[in-house]
Amino acid sequence: MQVHYHPNGVRTTDRTQVGLALNRGPIQKDLQLLINVNTNFAIPAGASRYTVTATSTVPVNAHAIAVLPHMHLLGREVRMEAVYPDGTRRPLIYIDDWDFQWQATYYYKDPVPLPAGTRVELTSIYDNSDANPKNPNQPPKEVRFGELTTDEMCLSGVWYVAD
């Protein structure tokens, strides 16, 4: 769990809660997380469709259980694709109208096979223009990777179990 706190000069109470569910029997498979992240980008002021990508490789034969794309306020579209070792592409998720409130884990009904060597490609598209009503900067300014909501992120994860 990660919680961001930023001083704003107002004393407040943290009401964060955590619930744990413990397994009653032996663990049959470990859940792993494959991260895609690009921290080296700068979205120019005024850019209406700026693309940032990140790629990672699945180290073992596995099955994806869920995906979690992550962007902030300038995010407009996010796509994750599996590129299998034979070059075949399989969509993992595509959100064509990103909303900051949709930062969630998306679970598959059926696990998605990911053979060892599969590349997971993340493509994030940002709108840093005046036309984006969610742009926190008016006028727009260059935005880089960072932890603040007014910064941006190009980040995703794939929850998987090894075969």
Side-chain angles (χ1 to χ4, degrees):
M1 182 173 90
Q2 182 183 36
V3 180
H4 299 266
Y5 296 101
H6 303 285
N8 64 3
V10 177
R11 188 177 197 94
T12 187
T13 302
D14 180 348
R15 298 183 346 204
T16 302
Q17 296 181 354
V18 176
L20 298 176
L22 304 176
N23 194 23
R24 298 189 191 282
I27 296 173
Q28 296 176 1
K29 292 190 177 189
D30 288 327
L31 188 62
Q32 304 290 321
L33 180 60
L34 180 73
I35 297 286
N36 267 351
V37 63
N38 183 336
T39 61
N40 189 24
F41 62 87
I43 305 168
S48 61
R49 282 191 64 79
Y50 189 81
T51 301
V52 179
T53 62
T55 302
S56 59
T57 302
V58 179
V60 297
N61 290 329
H63 279 80
I65 304 301
V67 293
L68 51 148
H70 182 84
M71 298 186 294
H72 291 172
L73 299 172
L74 299 181
R76 296 305 302 140
E77 296 177 39
V78 63
R79 177 186 314 271
M80 293 173 67
E81 287 186 298
V83 182
Y84 292 128
D86 69 0
T88 304
R89 291 181 166 273
R90 180 170 183 165
L92 297 175
I93 192 168
Y94 175 57
I95 299 173
D96 65 353
D97 188 18
W98 175 261
D99 187 301
F100 182 64
Q101 301 304 317
W102 296 348
Q103 295 181 60
T105 300
Y106 295 85
Y107 293 89
Y108 295 118
K109 180 180 175 186
D110 297 309
V112 176
L114 299 175
T118 297
R119 285 191 334 273
V120 176
E121 295 181 352
L122 168 65
T123 304
S124 301
I125 299 175
Y126 304 89
D127 182 354
N128 192 12
S129 72
D130 281 325
N132 180 357
K134 297 174 186 170
N135 192 336
N137 303 303
Q138 296 298 334
K141 66 177 187 176
E142 181 181 88
V143 176
R144 295 178 175 273
F145 180 90
E147 295 283 335
L148 298 176
T149 302
T150 53
D151 296 327
E152 260 311 332
M153 288 193 174
C154 176
L155 174 71
S156 72
V158 178
W159 288 109
Y160 72 91
V161 291
D163 292 349

